[in-house]
Amino acid sequence: MSITYKYSLEYIGIGDLTFFCGEMLLRLTKDDVLMIKIDEFTLNTYREGSELYKKFCIDYIKFILSDYNVSECQSETDRTWGINYDYVGRMLGEPEIKDVFRKKFSSGVVNDSHKGHLILFTKVRAYDETNFKSFSEKFFNYINSLDTKIILIGEKTVKYSGEYANLGKNKVYSLYDEYVKNIPTDKIIDLTNDDYSPNNISLENIINDLTLISNSKSMIMIGCGGFFCTSLFTDKLLSINDGTIFSQFSVESNKQVFYDINLFLTAIQNV
């Protein structure tokens, strides 16, 4: 017997959408119907009311759940979705679910010359900059000692509008200038972007970035964010976080998600 699910999504960042899809992969049968509505208040408050971002959300969910019956809900919904970390642990711990994401996140286009390198993600979320500064000298010594090119992806600068205006500079910032200053120019491949506004996001670009990550040595990220959530499914992530994030992703503790700085630096040395 099929079930029709009508969900309102009030959390619409890339990480939220990814975990929503993961939960649906655990919940749905192929006979079920999934109807989704992007919450207008959230869209207006955090994504500048962008209709293009709304379209991206729908397209992204349909792309991940391409084997299921998914459509945009035009009527009233009967469920509001929020992140459940029990489901997150299950989706990261179940090989069949992880494999769905792994295939989707390696299906894009990537320049052959960009494969097999180390990636640094420039944007930091929810990790105090003073904490990074406390180990940054060792961090750069280890990074620079590795026999690999360093690919930079993410924002050069963070524009504090929409969601970021609410979070503020202590919660979200870019390490682009630090990376460029402390890594030799001839080691860097700069693939950063100046425009990550809601109107400039596209499914194609996101999947191409994730395909790049899937074909890398590793992707190093300070803190968390949308690409933290997606990259967890590639098994290429090395991320240092605060104790809250570390405990929420215990299934990946000291494998892809770190709290202890020394363990994090050791993992970088072993890339």
Side-chain angles (χ1 to χ4, degrees):
M1 180 178 174
S2 67
I3 301 173
T4 297
Y5 296 88
K6 295 182 179 181
Y7 276 100
S8 173
L9 300 186
E10 297 179 353
Y11 299 90
I12 57 174
I14 295 172
D16 303 312
L17 299 175
T18 302
F19 290 152
F20 172 75
C21 289
E23 184 172 328
M24 293 305 103
L25 287 169
L26 289 163
R27 282 183 180 272
L28 299 176
T29 70
K30 297 294 175 65
D31 294 326
D32 292 336
V33 175
L34 175 62
M35 304 180 76
I36 47 178
K37 179 177 282 188
I38 305 305
D39 181 72
E40 291 293 332
F41 177 81
T42 304
L43 189 70
N44 290 329
T45 304
Y46 297 112
R47 293 297 185 270
E48 301 170 15
S50 171
E51 286 298 316
L52 289 175
Y53 190 85
K54 180 180 178 180
K55 181 180 184 302
F56 163 75
C57 293
I58 303 295
D59 289 348
Y60 183 83
I61 292 169
K62 286 184 174 181
F63 173 74
I64 302 297
L65 302 179
S66 59
D67 290 338
Y68 297 82
N69 186 345
V70 181
S71 62
E72 185 174 0
C73 186
Q74 304 296 340
S75 59
E76 289 301 310
T77 58
D78 52 17
R79 301 163 188 254
T80 300
W81 180 82
I83 292 177
N84 181 320
Y85 285 99
D86 288 336
Y87 273 106
V88 172
R90 284 179 59 193
M91 68 185 76
L92 288 168
E94 293 198 13
E96 295 90 351
I97 303 299
K98 214 167 184 181
D99 197 48
V100 171
F101 285 105
R102 189 178 288 111
K103 288 176 179 176
K104 295 291 186 179
F105 291 167
S106 59
S107 64
V109 177
V110 59
N111 188 320
D112 284 342
S113 68
H114 294 160
K115 292 180 178 179
H117 300 309
L118 184 68
I119 297 174
L120 294 182
F121 196 81
T122 57
K123 187 178 73 180
V124 180
R125 181 166 176 155
Y127 194 79
D128 197 304
E129 192 168 10
T130 57
N131 289 345
F132 174 71
K133 295 280 190 185
S134 72
F135 66 85
S136 62
E137 185 175 350
K138 282 185 177 180
F139 174 81
F140 286 116
N141 285 340
Y142 292 162
I143 291 289
N144 290 331
S145 69
L146 296 172
D147 183 21
T148 180
K149 291 283 190 180
I150 310 295
I151 297 178
L152 303 182
I153 65 172
E155 286 100 322
K156 284 187 172 70
T157 58
V158 172
K159 294 179 174 62
Y160 294 96
S161 59
E163 180 184 15
Y164 295 162
N166 291 320
L167 291 171
K169 295 182 179 180
N170 290 327
K171 291 292 185 183
V172 183
Y173 54 94
S174 174
L175 286 173
Y176 176 80
D177 290 342
E178 287 292 307
Y179 290 160
V180 170
K181 182 172 67 176
N182 289 285
I183 299 169
T185 304
D186 61 353
K187 286 179 74 76
I188 291 176
I189 299 172
D190 191 343
L191 300 181
T192 54
N193 198 325
D194 283 322
D195 187 2
Y196 278 92
S197 62
N199 281 331
N200 198 47
I201 196 168
S202 78
L203 177 62
E204 180 183 9
N205 290 344
I206 294 295
I207 298 305
N208 286 346
D209 281 347
L210 288 166
T211 302
L212 176 67
I213 292 166
S214 296
N215 284 277
S216 69
K217 284 183 182 295
S218 283
M219 203 274 276
I220 294 174
M221 177 180 259
I222 309 300
C224 60
F227 268 82
F228 166 88
C229 300
T230 51
S231 297
L232 283 166
F233 293 96
T234 70
D235 288 328
K236 294 298 179 81
L237 179 66
L238 295 175
S239 176
I240 182 85
N241 282 278
D242 65 16
T244 300
I245 298 296
F246 181 75
S247 63
Q248 287 170 341
F249 294 91
S250 57
V251 70
E252 294 293 345
S253 293
N254 300 324
K255 292 183 287 186
Q256 294 195 88
V257 184
F258 296 83
Y259 173 69
D260 184 287
I261 291 168
N262 290 321
L263 291 177
F264 176 60
L265 293 174
T266 298
I268 291 173
Q269 281 182 293
N270 293 330
V271 164

